[in-house]
Amino acid sequence: MIQNGVTTSIKPQQITFIVPGIEDFDHTQISDFIQRAQSNLDPALLEFAWIELLEKGKSVTIEQLAEMIFGSTEPLESYCAHLLLSNDDVYFTVLETKGPFSLYGPRPAVQVEELLQKKHAKELAEREFHEFMQLVKSAKGMPPHAKPSKSSWRSEEKIWHRIGSLEAYAIDDFKNDDQRKTAGMILKEMGLSKTSAAALNLLIDIGYFPVHVNLDLLKYSIHTDYPDRVLAAAGSLLSESYDDLDVNVRLDLTHLKVYAIDVDEADELDDALSATRLQDGRIKVWIHVADPTSLVRPGSIIDKEAMKRGTSIFLPTATYPMFPEKLAMEGMSLKQGKPCNAVTVSVILRPDGSIAEYSVDNSIIKPTYMLTYESASELLLLNLEEEIELKILSEAGALRFRWRQQQGAIDTATLETRIKVANPDDPEPLIRLYVEDQSDPAMRLVSEMMILCGEVMATYGSCNHIPLPYRGQPQSNIDTSAFAHLPEGPVRSSAIVRIMRAAEMDFSKPIRHGVLGLPGYVQFTSPIRRYMDLLAHYQVKAFLRGDSPPFSAGQLEGIASLVNMSTRVVRKLCNSSLRYWILEYLRRQPKEKRFSALVLRFIKDRMAAILLVEVGLQASASMSIGVEVGDEVKVQVEEAHPRDDILSLKEVSVAE
């Protein structure tokens, strides 16, 4: 109690209960009184009273209601009437209150019906929520192999609504306040904090999400499946004979030895190469590019879906192609030993690596070899006479690289990480990690031929006034000699890349690409994987046919703005996914394991940006006194938490 502003406490023995009409009241009888009252409560009695009073148009006090339904106004019966009215939010409403006394009146029938509906709906929702929580708690306690499947959580709308709310909470992407409220109720019932991490862990614990769920796929609303109408259209293209508009003008190049070189897990093969040495000693190369436009027309259902996607998505855990997989693999991709439609760019090089002659033609080719970069590099090292064409291609690549450097090109070759995760839904999936050096002979060969094709297409488009997605990068003013003190390779490349400006595009004419050392450049060699390359094919193929290009420069610009938005999102997704699995790979390594790292630059004081050579990841760590940019050091992993994107490294001495 509070007396004169001071809070004091009193003992129960000091409390005296005064009940009007009862002398010497024994407070120990209160609990028995309440229990007897509770056993007398029957809401049906209140409904009967409401019907009678509504018919008579009368109102009642608590005592009158007690007399009406219990036949008595004794304390027990009056208290029961009080409880019924206090707990009622359907049949009666307070008309008047004077001191401790209130007058109650029956609600209109229409209002009661509406309130009953709301009450029943609320009771149903509470019952369903209770049943859902029992299901969640049960699933949480099950062993991993026995947990309900993801599809079972989606089988009933009332369950999926609540699971969907938790999913929205986990990725912080609510469609409405109801989702936020529903997820909050679930987390509270489970005794968890109202955080996205708690929602995510709960969804993992009940088996809805795998441990390594890629949340960015959900956050960015990436379409991993195709609508039925698109799949049906793709099926029709494969099952029915289609009209190849260029069948009568295709060059038969099936006599050429054709090398398709790509990563070992590549599903879609867009390009392949051939080469020979002419009698005058010059090198002639052919860059063969898959021809999906022989199947797909601008504005078709499949084209619109590809435009929406913008690019194929290559993640450590899965590949999501720009075109339906079966169409891309069976109808578009280059296949070993089989005649394939292609667009072929043939080039004769001068001895200095510049372009002497070129042509662009529709063609038919028959790929001879499907090689990985590793196997192509091995063949080059073996220097086999029967694979002289591959050696000529390598020579052409070297010529082109030197020529581009003379034109001001900047070598940005570095280490590139590739990861493949088998059974990604397992708690501990198998991780295969590869680090490739972009200056590797086979990678350099393919890269140079793709760049050569891009230069030819820009020149071809310019000479014939074809609107194309011309790419440029205004870097011609970079003084690479300023970086000569840095070691060649990743350290120097990293320093140069940091000062590069963003790429630019023009759709009417070529613009200089300073980084590549070219007067113009058009990406053309991946029309199955990149929509901007497909656009270039539409334009060039129409010109080869003698038709007007399907898109003006202005239309190309509009399409490009939409496609580039999609590709930027995909780039973020791919980068975050790759980093996640590299961190997961590092998390599993023995604590004592040491990694080689190159010091790229110092960020502040002794904190340096480093490149972990064995995994191809840039990170940061504090370096000891005496360590300089370009030095190779040894580091150990102190912490690696992929879900929180945390990586902590420490330098270790060679002697440790």
Side-chain angles (χ1 to χ4, degrees):
M1 59 178 284
I2 299 176
Q3 188 173 19
N4 298 325
V6 179
T7 302
T8 58
S9 60
I10 58 175
K11 297 179 181 180
Q13 295 88 338
Q14 295 176 280
I15 300 174
T16 301
F17 291 86
I18 300 175
V19 181
I22 300 179
E23 295 183 5
D24 301 323
F25 177 74
D26 183 3
H27 70 85
T28 60
Q29 297 178 2
I30 292 177
S31 59
D32 178 62
F33 180 83
I34 292 174
Q35 188 173 356
R36 287 166 58 204
Q38 291 292 338
S39 64
N40 280 351
L41 296 182
D42 182 359
L45 295 174
L46 198 63
E47 183 181 1
F48 295 146
W50 170 75
I51 293 172
E52 184 175 336
L53 291 169
L54 185 66
E55 289 176 351
K56 294 178 179 180
K58 290 186 176 181
S59 55
V60 289
T61 62
I62 289 176
E63 289 78 6
Q64 289 171 335
L65 183 66
E67 178 68 36
M68 184 177 179
I69 60 179
F70 296 115
S72 171
T73 59
E74 290 297 309
L76 178 64
E77 286 74 16
S78 294
Y79 181 64
C80 288
H82 162 73
L83 288 179
L84 285 172
L85 287 170
S86 297
N87 296 329
D88 171 56
D89 53 7
V90 175
Y91 296 104
F92 290 88
T93 184
V94 177
L95 298 178
E96 184 181 351
T97 299
K98 289 183 178 180
F101 304 102
S102 296
L103 185 67
Y104 294 85
R107 296 181 189 270
V110 174
Q111 194 176 104
V112 166
E113 183 179 359
E114 183 181 346
L115 290 171
L116 280 173
Q117 287 177 352
K118 289 182 178 179
K119 183 179 180 181
H120 293 156
K122 181 181 178 182
E123 290 171 350
L124 176 63
E126 289 173 349
R127 186 165 62 252
E128 288 180 348
F129 181 76
H130 175 73
E131 292 171 355
F132 172 79
M133 292 310 306
Q134 292 301 111
L135 185 64
V136 168
K137 291 173 182 176
S138 173
K140 189 174 186 291
M142 292 178 181
H145 68 275
K147 293 183 187 291
S149 64
K150 184 173 184 176
S151 59
S152 69
W153 290 105
R154 296 187 172 201
S155 59
E156 291 186 47
E157 177 60 32
K158 59 185 180 183
I159 294 177
W160 166 231
H161 168 72
R162 294 182 171 91
I163 289 293
S165 297
L166 272 178
E167 184 178 305
Y169 212 102
I171 63 175
D172 196 20
D173 184 26
F174 300 103
K175 294 180 176 63
N176 49 56
D177 287 338
D178 178 59
Q179 281 193 327
R180 187 190 300 272
K181 181 181 177 182
T182 300
M185 288 170 57
I186 296 169
L187 293 171
K188 182 180 179 181
E189 183 70 16
M190 293 298 293
L192 301 172
S193 59
K194 293 181 182 180
T195 63
S196 58
L200 170 63
N201 289 330
L202 179 58
L203 289 170
I204 291 173
D205 289 343
I206 66 175
Y208 178 77
F209 277 158
V211 172
H212 299 288
V213 59
N214 191 333
L215 291 182
D216 286 342
L217 274 175
L218 303 173
K219 287 179 182 178
Y220 297 139
S221 301
I222 300 295
H223 299 285
T224 57
D225 298 318
Y226 281 87
D228 290 340
R229 57 189 179 81
V230 175
L231 293 175
S236 297
L237 285 176
L238 290 171
S239 62
E240 301 170 5
S241 59
Y242 64 91
D243 182 19
D244 179 7
L245 301 178
D246 310 303
V247 65
N248 296 321
V249 294
R250 290 191 183 276
L251 290 181
D252 186 351
L253 300 178
T254 54
H255 62 284
L256 293 175
K257 184 182 286 188
V258 177
Y259 298 89
I261 306 172
D262 211 326
V263 293
D264 58 1
E265 68 272 8
D267 296 322
E268 312 154 348
L269 289 172
D270 290 275
D271 51 74
L273 305 168
S274 301
T276 190
R277 193 179 304 279
L278 302 177
Q279 289 184 346
D280 60 7
R282 293 184 301 173
I283 293 175
K284 181 174 183 178
V285 298
W286 290 264
I287 301 113
H288 312 287
V289 184
D291 187 10
T293 63
S294 63
L295 283 169
V296 180
R297 305 286 186 263
S300 64
I301 291 176
I302 293 175
D303 170 71
K304 289 178 179 178
E305 184 69 22
M307 184 194 300
K308 187 194 306 180
R309 293 168 183 262
T311 180
S312 292
I313 303 174
F314 301 97
L315 302 179
T317 52
T319 296
Y320 303 107
M322 184 173 75
F323 290 108
E325 184 175 8
K326 192 172 183 181
L327 178 63
M329 289 292 296
E330 296 182 15
M332 298 176 176
S333 181
L334 301 178
K335 292 176 283 293
Q336 185 174 6
K338 295 186 178 180
C340 303
N341 287 345
V343 179
T344 295
V345 175
S346 60
V347 186
I348 296 175
L349 296 176
R350 295 190 180 95
D352 66 352
S354 61
I355 298 171
E357 301 174 28
Y358 71 85
S359 67
V360 180
D361 301 283
N362 292 295
S363 65
I364 298 177
I365 63 168
K366 189 183 289 185
T368 314
Y369 295 115
M370 299 296 190
L371 302 175
T372 64
Y373 287 114
E374 293 84 355
S375 59
S377 292
E378 288 175 7
L379 281 176
L380 287 170
L381 286 173
L382 290 171
N383 197 21
L384 300 175
E385 189 61 34
E386 58 267 30
E387 301 302 335
I388 188 64
E389 294 86 353
L390 188 62
K391 184 179 179 181
I392 294 172
L393 278 169
S394 181
E395 184 181 337
L399 282 176
R400 285 291 300 173
F401 180 61
R402 283 196 298 270
W403 179 83
R404 289 195 305 107
Q405 284 191 309
Q406 292 167 4
Q407 311 309 307
I410 299 168
D411 184 13
T412 58
T414 186
L415 301 180
E416 182 176 3
T417 308
R418 288 195 293 112
I419 285 183
K420 277 297 168 184
V421 180
N423 303 317
D425 288 348
D426 290 350
E428 291 282 323
L430 176 65
I431 302 174
R432 292 182 298 159
L433 183 146
Y434 314 87
V435 177
E436 295 174 335
D437 187 344
Q438 292 177 338
S439 61
D440 169 85
M443 295 195 80
R444 180 78 79 183
L445 178 163
V446 173
S447 174
E448 287 300 326
M449 292 303 101
M450 300 304 104
I451 293 171
L452 173 60
C453 181
E455 181 187 359
V456 169
M457 295 316 302
T459 304
Y460 186 74
S462 177
C463 291
N464 295 291
H465 309 290
I466 306 172
L468 289 171
Y470 298 98
R471 292 179 178 271
Q473 202 161 20
Q475 298 297 142
S476 55
N477 59 340
I478 289 182
D479 181 11
T480 54
S481 64
F483 304 94
H485 65 288
L486 298 175
E488 280 190 291
V491 176
R492 187 181 296 180
S493 295
S494 172
I496 294 173
V497 167
R498 278 174 52 79
I499 65 169
M500 284 185 179
R501 288 161 54 192
E504 298 176 354
M505 294 191 74
D506 194 292
F507 301 91
S508 301
K509 62 185 184 304
I511 51 178
R512 176 168 173 75
H513 201 301
V515 172
L516 296 180
L518 302 177
Y521 180 67
V522 172
Q523 286 187 328
F524 194 78
T525 57
S526 295
I528 306 177
R529 307 181 190 186
R530 296 189 300 236
Y531 191 79
M532 294 306 295
D533 293 42
L534 185 70
L535 274 182
H537 275 244
Y538 284 145
Q539 300 292 89
V540 170
K541 290 292 296 291
F543 179 81
L544 287 172
R545 257 183 246 118
D547 296 337
S548 298
F551 303 106
S552 67
Q555 289 172 318
L556 285 179
E557 186 173 5
I559 295 171
S561 65
L562 296 174
V563 172
N564 287 337
M565 281 194 291
S566 299
T567 55
R568 279 193 291 271
V569 169
V570 170
R571 196 176 301 118
K572 284 183 184 178
L573 169 66
C574 293
N575 290 340
S576 64
S577 300
L578 182 63
R579 181 175 173 84
Y580 177 94
W581 285 106
I582 293 176
L583 294 189
E584 175 63 15
Y585 175 84
L586 292 172
R587 184 189 69 82
R588 298 186 190 182
Q589 302 308 301
K591 285 291 184 183
E592 66 276 7
K593 184 171 181 177
R594 299 178 179 187
F595 295 89
S596 296
L598 288 172
V599 179
L600 302 177
R601 68 182 186 281
F602 282 95
I603 303 169
K604 185 179 180 181
D605 298 329
R606 301 309 298 171
M607 184 61 65
I610 61 175
L611 175 65
L612 296 178
V613 177
E614 289 97 336
V615 297
L617 176 72
Q618 286 197 25
S620 60
S622 180
M623 294 291 109
S624 58
I625 301 295
V627 174
E628 298 180 353
V629 172
D631 286 353
E632 184 172 326
V633 297
K634 294 293 183 180
V635 296
Q636 282 182 337
V637 176
E638 290 192 305
E639 282 186 281
H641 302 294
R643 183 64 68 192
D644 300 320
D645 193 24
I646 293 174
L647 176 63
S648 177
L649 303 168
K650 72 169 183 177
E651 181 193 5
V652 292
S653 67
V654 178
E656 285 185 40

